[in-house]
Amino acid sequence: MEKPIGHDLASSREVNAQVGDAFAEEHVFRIDHYLGKETVQNLLALRFANMLFEPLWNAQAIDHVQITVAETVGLEGRVSYYDGVGALKDMVQNHMLQLLAIIAMEPPSSVSSTAVRDEKVKLLRSLRKLKAEDVKAHSVKGQYTSGAVNGGAVTGYADELGHPSNTETFVAIKAFIDNWRWKGVPFYLRTGKRMPERKSEVLIQFKPVPHNIFARVGAGKLDANSMIINLQPEENIRVKVMAKQPGLDRDGVKLKEVTLDVSLSHSFEGERRRIAYERLLLDFIEGDQTLFVRRDEVEAQWQWIDSIRDAWAAVDMAPQNYTAGSWGPSSAIALIERDGASWHD
Ligand code: BG6
């Protein structure tokens, strides 16, 4: 089954119940093609095949997380599907929440389909529902107007459509996960069409060191470490760390941020990259459900999405315009900058 599986929790339950009458859950394969991406699966390897990151993967060491899925494309002739659906249901309900679940879930006991999906669903159920009173401060809806992308002029969404619309082509959300590991850590999610570049990226922003021993000797501010995981189009992992600038240090130790850069395309040069659907269809034929979405996951995803849609409806939130080729409405910048952080563009 391809998305959309329903258009809200109630309708997705109905679809799942009817399919469930005919097939056992182990015979139902719900596709989220992001799970078929090599780089998304690599997040599991990064987190659970290395000792380095997991001890720091929590609210004690992490200040915030950003997940960006930016596209340069517009409607691509999918008007009849997209209008009335919008970015929240098209991208956040599925792909972004799956990414979030993999980044934030507890370590599964194995890579079996049950173990991994049990942990994902637990995480999805811990997402704090948005309420009408905080939806304006915690989310932004946008719709692109005419502008330029990749050096070419493009028309606005409503012009492409031929009439005005309330459908959002961009959404940014400040999400919280109410569990021990992530207490108080904001997860900023944003996705949009007609952005300046195509990129899917996760940024882990660590907290500053508890005490700066270099402060007195003139080195000034220490930048907190960050890790940037690029999922597409480039596949690389960069960790920004502080290093001492060479010198005799007569005016104090000078520090500079340097980047540890691992290019996965380079490390695995010559290895054939499979497209997501190739992998997923083979797994399906072999009956392996690990990279498919279980019924309870879809429903947990809708539960959170419904809370946002209900809150949007309660405050009558309309999309704000952004110029095609920009990073979304200015309120999306304000959403994160109010917290003293900024998007990694
Ligand atoms: C699809 C959405 O699920 O994912 C599209 O319906 C979107 O609107 C696409 O363009 C993005 O996928 P990818 O693999 O190009 O990042």
Side-chain angles (χ1 to χ4, degrees), residues 3 33-34 37 71 78 90-91 95 193 198 232:
K3 75 158 205 284
H33 80 279
Y34 267 55
K37 291 181 192 273
E71 300 185 278
R78 296 161 78 222
D90 183 48
M91 294 296 284
H95 310 322
K193 299 219 179 270
R198 176 173 184 245
Q232 62 184 27

Side-chain angles (χ1 to χ4, degrees), residues 251-272:
D251 305 322
V253 182
K254 294 267 185 322
L255 300 173
K256 204 174 163 209
E257 192 176 66
V258 295
T259 306
L260 307 176
D261 202 336
V262 183
S263 160
L264 295 175
S265 347
H266 192 251
S267 304
F268 296 106
E269 217 166 16
E271 307 236 1
R272 187 169 152 206

Side-chain angles (χ1 to χ4, degrees), residues 4-20:
I5 296 173
H7 50 85
D8 58 10
L9 176 62
S11 55
S12 75
R13 279 192 173 142
E14 219 171 287
V15 173
N16 283 330
Q18 290 199 16
V19 171

Side-chain angles (χ1 to χ4, degrees), residues 22-324:
F23 300 99
E25 180 62 25
E26 64 266 30
H27 295 146
V28 182
F29 290 75
R30 295 180 194 80
I31 288 192
D32 183 311
H33 80 279
Y34 267 55
L35 294 179
K37 291 181 192 273
E38 201 67 69
T39 43
V40 175
Q41 292 156 38
N42 195 41
L43 290 171
L44 290 174
L46 181 76
R47 283 195 63 196
F48 305 123
N50 296 296
M51 190 55 202
L52 213 52
F53 309 113
E54 203 47 29
L56 298 178
W57 215 255
N58 53 50
Q60 278 73 52
I62 292 179
D63 178 78
H64 73 267
V65 175
Q66 297 180 21
I67 305 178
T68 296
V69 177
E71 300 185 278
T72 52
V73 292
L75 274 182
E76 304 292 289
R78 296 161 78 222
V79 178
S80 57
Y81 157 71
Y82 195 85
D83 195 50
V85 173
L88 183 71
K89 289 186 187 175
D90 183 48
M91 294 296 284
V92 183
Q93 190 273 339
N94 36 74
H95 310 322
M96 295 199 75
L97 284 186
Q98 284 294 325
L99 280 177
L100 173 68
I102 291 173
I103 289 156
M105 70 184 183
E106 294 301 312
S109 59
S110 72
V111 284
S112 77
S113 60
T114 304
V116 172
R117 297 189 304 173
D118 281 354
E119 293 307 335
K120 281 196 295 173
V121 79
K122 235 169 71 189
L123 190 285
L124 292 165
R125 285 182 182 147
S126 313
L127 276 165
R128 187 186 303 167
K129 312 278 179 299
L130 264 71
K131 297 201 186 83
E133 54 266 32
D134 43 40
V135 76
K136 281 193 172 156
H138 288 200
S139 72
V140 171
K141 284 164 90 170
Q143 187 185 94
Y144 64 84
T145 55
S146 57
V149 178
N150 291 335
V154 296
T155 44
Y157 180 80
D159 298 330
E160 241 171 303
L161 209 60
H163 57 82
S165 161
N166 243 344
T167 300
E168 79 284 355
T169 59
F170 172 95
V171 63
I173 302 169
K174 176 176 164 182
F176 285 98
I177 296 164
D178 284 332
N179 67 14
W180 277 43
R181 182 188 285 262
W182 296 115
K183 168 105 187 128
V185 179
F187 283 72
Y188 300 98
L189 317 178
R190 71 174 167 167
T191 182
K193 299 219 179 270
R194 293 295 191 212
M195 303 266 99
E197 57 180 292
R198 176 173 184 245
K199 79 166 178 183
S200 299
E201 170 189 284
V202 178
L203 171 120
I204 312 289
Q205 180 61 57
F206 291 94
K207 289 188 169 163
V209 292
H211 170 65
N212 179 1
I213 65 163
F214 300 99
R216 296 236 177 89
V217 286
K221 193 172 137 275
L222 278 187
D223 291 325
N225 301 138
S226 59
M227 175 152 92
I228 300 138
I229 308 164
N230 274 106
L231 304 173
Q232 62 184 27
E234 274 93 45
E235 296 175 34
N236 55 43
I237 300 168
R238 282 169 294 155
V239 182
K240 299 207 170 164
V241 296
M242 296 306 290
K244 178 188 171 301
Q245 212 167 308
L248 293 174
D249 307 329
R250 286 304 170 266
D251 305 322
V253 182
K254 294 267 185 322
L255 300 173
K256 204 174 163 209
E257 192 176 66
V258 295
T259 306
L260 307 176
D261 202 336
V262 183
S263 160
L264 295 175
S265 347
H266 192 251
S267 304
F268 296 106
E269 217 166 16
E271 307 236 1
R272 187 169 152 206
R273 320 297 281 175
R274 309 289 186 154
I275 60 161
Y277 276 95
E278 184 178 357
R279 163 69 193 256
L280 291 177
L281 292 176
L282 276 172
D283 283 359
F284 161 64
I285 290 164
E286 286 169 6
D288 181 350
Q289 288 190 306
T290 311
L291 300 178
F292 292 83
V293 185
R294 209 165 59 187
R295 174 180 181 160
D296 49 2
E297 287 180 82
V298 177
E299 294 181 1
Q301 289 171 182
W302 275 122
Q303 219 150 34
W304 190 65
I305 295 295
D306 278 2
S307 78
I308 301 170
R309 293 192 57 82
D310 291 347
W312 280 354
V315 300
D316 212 4
M317 209 158 119
Q320 292 163 15
N321 288 342
Y322 63 97
T323 310

